Amino acid sequence: MNPKEPGRRRFLKSGAALAGLAVGTAATAKTAAADVPEERIDALHKHGERSHYVDSIRRGSINNPERRLPDEAKNFGLATPLQDSTGMITPASLHYIVSHGYEPPDIDPKEHRLLIHGMVDRPLVFSLEDLQRLPSVSRFYFIECHGNSTTGGLGGAARISPDATVQDTHGFTSCSHWTGVPLSLLLKEAGVKKGATWITAEGADANRHSKSIPIAKAWDDALVAYAQNGEPVRPEQGYPLRLVTPGWQGINNVKWLRRIELVDEPYMAMMEISRYPRLALDGKSRWFEFEMGPKSVITRPSGGQHLPTPGFYEISGLAWSGGGAIRRVEISTDGGANWKDAELQIPVANKAHTRFTAGWNWNGGEAMLQSRCTDDQGMVQPTMAEVAKLWGTDLDYFRKTTLIVSDLNAIQPWKVNRDGSVKNAIF
Ligand SMILES: Nc1nc2c(c(=O)[nH]1)N[C@H]1C(S)=C(S)[C@@H](COP(=O)(O)O)O[C@H]1N2
Ligand SMILES: [Mo]
């Protein structure tokens, strides 16, 4: 299909019936407001809430909706309900959460400080107010856990189950409009000593999440963020301050940021020691990798959803890359035999989720829906078989492994059955 020609018009021209348009009488929605107490109305006028008919929630996996990992009571992961997503922004209330420590600390912004020290000319301490006086930037950036979409580990069973939803398979990524101070500006203020090549960033959570990061990221685009989607960063996302490392593994985006130390080598800090040994293949860990590869997924129709009748559907999904902006997304509805370009919705931002859409006329037969993206570096999203080859193994390994293989960005196939059910078909 010509991506410039709106899908809807073409489908109308070709005579396919659009569901819901042929009804003669329009049933109008009930508009009478229920009896809401005065104080409640007052509170809602001051600060709104979503409709109580909307029930989209973050949750753990289908086999562990309670989110707790049995071996480590204090670690948890809650995924974003991507199946309900539209556009490119994740509401902060639905941003995924990965916590290696505890519940969000309750930080008084007046008390909070950010310390920059180590190999600098002048160690500096910033309050939130200090930071908010400095020149700021606002950018759209995705954050993704490098364990997102893994077939192994505790989330693995959900990942490979035919009943998996896109929340199970891809829900550990979200996208926000972040506002904050470039880390480079703070480092210039502190004066970086010759030989400082890495930073370690530390959070104020009870287990002091800390991570070693090459200093090049600070000079490039790392951000000390205090706002997300037009409001202060939410407690679950790091209130009052979080480090944002655009396009890099989520683990580097230190929440409740309280300390940055300039050092001359990567430290085997808490996260290097405790996380990466489990993110491995055949006993080999891949430490000190950072950038997330090009990745896309169809969010609608997706696993667990149901197509009521044959006819027109919009295929909609998200694409992103740690390497830059998304250039192209192609869609296949026949298991990869034919591909056509999807339409990219604006804005197509650097290192951000990009919404893509394409019209599709389901003829009622079996179909296999897939999306494949290309970023502005020319990097193309691989198939699962290509990923296996890259790792020097086969699909069977990914089917059976209990290890968490990180950075899995394979093409996601969703199978549409004749009864309209949609199933995960990764294997
Ligand atoms: N202080 C702190 N920062 C942290 C973590 C943490 O547990 N504590 N988890 C990391 C991991 S592994 C990921 S994937 C992202 C998750 O960010 P989110 O919870 O805002 O989605 O934060 C990172 N930053
Ligand atoms: Mo993560």
Side-chain angles (χ1 to χ4, degrees), residues 58 74-76 78 80 95-102 105 143-148 171-174 178 201-211 228 233-238 241-243 249-257 271 275:
R58 296 189 276 230
K74 298 213 183 315
N75 281 266
F76 64 90
L78 293 175
T80 293
H95 194 289
Y96 84 94
I97 308 174
V98 168
S99 174
H100 292 152
Y102 299 76
I143 295 182
E144 180 179 20
C145 180
H146 60 314
N148 193 23
F172 288 106
T173 182
S174 302
W178 299 100
E202 183 188 83
D205 36 350
N207 74 332
R208 300 268 185 270
H209 176 105
S210 61
K211 186 71 182 59
Q228 176 187 12
V233 171
R234 293 272 174 122
E236 291 78 9
Q237 267 60 61
L241 286 179
R242 113 170 276 173
L243 186 63
Q249 296 175 340
I251 198 166
N252 299 290
N253 296 257
V254 176
K255 304 191 274 190
W256 315 295
L257 183 68
M271 286 302 120
R275 304 316 293 181

Side-chain angles (χ1 to χ4, degrees), residues 83-205:
Q83 64 277 11
D84 304 323
S85 66
T86 55
M88 64 180 294
I89 293 296
T90 312
S93 55
L94 293 174
H95 194 289
Y96 84 94
I97 308 174
V98 168
S99 174
H100 292 152
Y102 299 76
E103 294 299 327
D106 183 6
I107 297 176
D108 178 348
K110 288 200 178 65
E111 302 293 320
H112 191 72
R113 296 289 179 274
L114 171 63
L115 168 68
I116 299 193
H117 70 140
M119 297 174 69
V120 293
D121 300 331
R122 294 169 296 279
L124 295 175
V125 174
F126 294 94
S127 68
L128 183 62
E129 230 179 56
D130 295 335
L131 291 171
Q132 286 172 337
R133 286 176 58 178
L134 297 174
S136 67
V137 296
S138 295
R139 299 275 189 277
F140 299 103
Y141 290 129
F142 76 85
I143 295 182
E144 180 179 20
C145 180
H146 60 314
N148 193 23
S149 309
T150 180
T151 61
L154 285 157
R159 175 72 180 97
I160 65 178
S161 161
D163 295 325
T165 68
V166 68
Q167 186 166 14
D168 296 316
T169 62
H170 288 74
F172 288 106
T173 182
S174 302
C175 183
S176 302
H177 193 222
W178 299 100
T179 298
V181 182
L183 179 55
S184 59
L185 199 148
L186 305 182
L187 295 194
K188 276 179 208 150
E189 282 296 305
V192 175
K193 285 209 163 107
K194 225 176 141 226
T197 47
W198 289 73
I199 64 170
T200 62
E202 183 188 83
D205 36 350

